[in-house]
Amino acid sequence: MAHAFDPELAAALALWAPVDIADLAAARAAQAAELAAAHGRADSTGVKVEDLLVPGPPGAPEVLLRTYRPVDRPGPLPVLYTVHGGGFVLGSPEVDHEENLSFCRELQALVVSVDYRLAPEHPYPAALDDCWAGLRELVGRAAELDADPGRLALRGDSAGGGLVAALAMLARDGGGPAVRLQQLHSPALDDRLATPSAVEYTDTPVWNRRNAELSWAAYLGPGRPGDRRAAPDRFAAPARAARADLVGLPPAHVTVMQFDPLRDEGIDYARALLAAGVPTELHLLPGTFHGAGMVAHAGVVRRARAEAVAVLRRALGR
């Protein structure tokens, strides 16, 4: 099916290999090679990057936190905790390395990226448990890290967006930490894949219905339905009365792509948050597809990036 992609994005697509997670070993190898090359090109000017191992969930391995600290900026620093995407089966902090370097410079904040265990080797709730353990350790070590836990924002892309939505619930229900903003970018929020966009977009680049089905099956286990923290939108249909499990969540900034099977679940979740009284901004980027942010030079991507930084800057008091 022909899609009316933004011209700058369409031109870039000709250079991309398709993403197919049916052969997960091959997909992981291809991504690792791409990320290694990108890391070598990344501009780390003005940023000190370090890896920190912290205790993981009970009985689980340690969790790696990659920290990005602005050089010569006095603290305590506001904190942006980021969770990478990859359909729950791909990725590492390398996925967002260049973006996190930029966030660190632009926000003059401590940016912390969590490396969580991947499915299917480690199904739900392993990834969420790792992200939660990392966040709690980050806050617990705030003085050591010269960070201000009172100025904390969460950001996640794709599967990372779904994990951030769940982290916001855990933080609220667990008595903290206080979160000033949950920033959800193309979030994966509903394993049912029953929205119009999830049904229609079977041939879109980077992410399509088949990849989404494989992703959820790996994360949850075949035939296992998601619960409220694995798939928050499954329990947040906007047509229902505002649900108690969304009331009191931190303000949200939700961005969705036009030609993305995940588009409508992101829209539905934003509407449900609004119905629950949660301050929420929703942005749909025309002509885009899942992963369009990789085309950093495209005008629509630059505008979305500037908006994300502006929203984070306000939330963190910068």
Side-chain angles (χ1 to χ4, degrees):
M1 180 185 299
H3 302 293
F5 294 132
D6 176 276
E8 290 180 293
L9 299 179
L13 277 176
L15 306 175
W16 288 8
V19 176
D20 183 1
I21 63 171
D23 186 344
L24 191 51
R28 286 174 174 173
Q31 185 189 59
E34 292 170 4
L35 293 176
H39 188 102
R41 299 190 301 268
D43 178 11
S44 60
T45 303
V47 180
K48 182 179 181 181
V49 182
E50 294 182 308
D51 287 345
L52 173 67
L53 285 173
V54 300
E62 292 180 304
V63 173
L64 183 142
L65 299 178
R66 177 164 294 174
T67 64
Y68 300 78
R69 180 181 300 277
V71 174
D72 298 327
R73 178 77 185 201
L77 297 171
V79 182
L80 174 62
Y81 189 72
T82 68
V83 185
H84 69 79
F88 305 109
V89 298
L90 296 170
S92 70
E94 291 294 336
V95 169
D96 299 325
H97 181 63
E98 290 184 274
E99 183 174 67
N100 287 332
L101 287 166
S102 295
F103 277 134
C104 180
R105 280 192 293 265
E106 292 177 82
L107 297 170
Q108 288 294 286
L110 177 67
V111 177
V112 180
S113 178
V114 59
D115 189 16
Y116 54 86
R117 288 172 290 169
L118 300 176
E121 296 88 346
H122 304 284
Y124 175 76
L128 180 58
D129 287 347
D130 287 353
C131 293
W132 180 234
L135 180 60
R136 289 173 63 87
E137 283 292 322
L138 167 62
V139 172
R141 300 182 184 209
E144 170 189 337
L145 295 169
D146 201 14
D148 181 358
R151 291 187 291 163
L152 168 68
L154 312 177
R155 175 179 168 87
D157 176 48
S158 191
L163 289 167
V164 162
L167 284 175
M169 293 179 179
L170 287 169
R172 179 203 57 190
D173 298 343
V179 175
R180 290 196 175 188
L181 180 74
Q182 51 175 319
Q183 193 166 71
L184 314 180
H185 188 86
S186 302
L189 296 163
D190 192 341
D191 61 298
R192 294 171 298 180
L193 299 172
T195 65
S197 63
V199 171
E200 179 178 358
Y201 295 135
T202 60
D203 62 347
T204 41
V206 181
W207 208 242
N208 51 47
R209 181 180 178 84
R210 180 170 178 267
N211 276 339
E213 290 173 338
L214 292 169
S215 166
W216 280 112
Y219 185 48
L220 299 174
R224 179 185 173 192
D227 64 24
R228 63 190 286 268
R229 288 184 178 143
D233 194 50
R234 174 187 268 269
F235 303 92
R240 303 173 188 166
R243 296 182 56 89
D245 56 4
L246 298 183
V247 173
L249 287 174
H253 180 256
V254 183
T255 303
V256 298
M257 308 296 112
Q258 182 178 0
F259 301 109
D260 181 358
L262 308 188
R263 180 195 67 201
D264 292 342
E265 62 201 65
I267 294 171
D268 289 347
Y269 194 62
R271 293 175 61 200
L273 289 170
L274 285 167
V278 177
T280 302
E281 292 186 53
L282 171 64
H283 293 258
L284 187 152
L285 304 182
T288 55
F289 48 83
H290 197 91
M294 291 183 286
V295 190
H297 68 271
V300 65
V301 173
R302 288 187 284 109
R303 291 194 300 274
R305 167 75 184 181
E307 171 70 14
V309 170
V311 170
L312 287 166
R313 186 174 286 128
R314 290 196 300 269
L316 295 175
R318 281 306 197 194

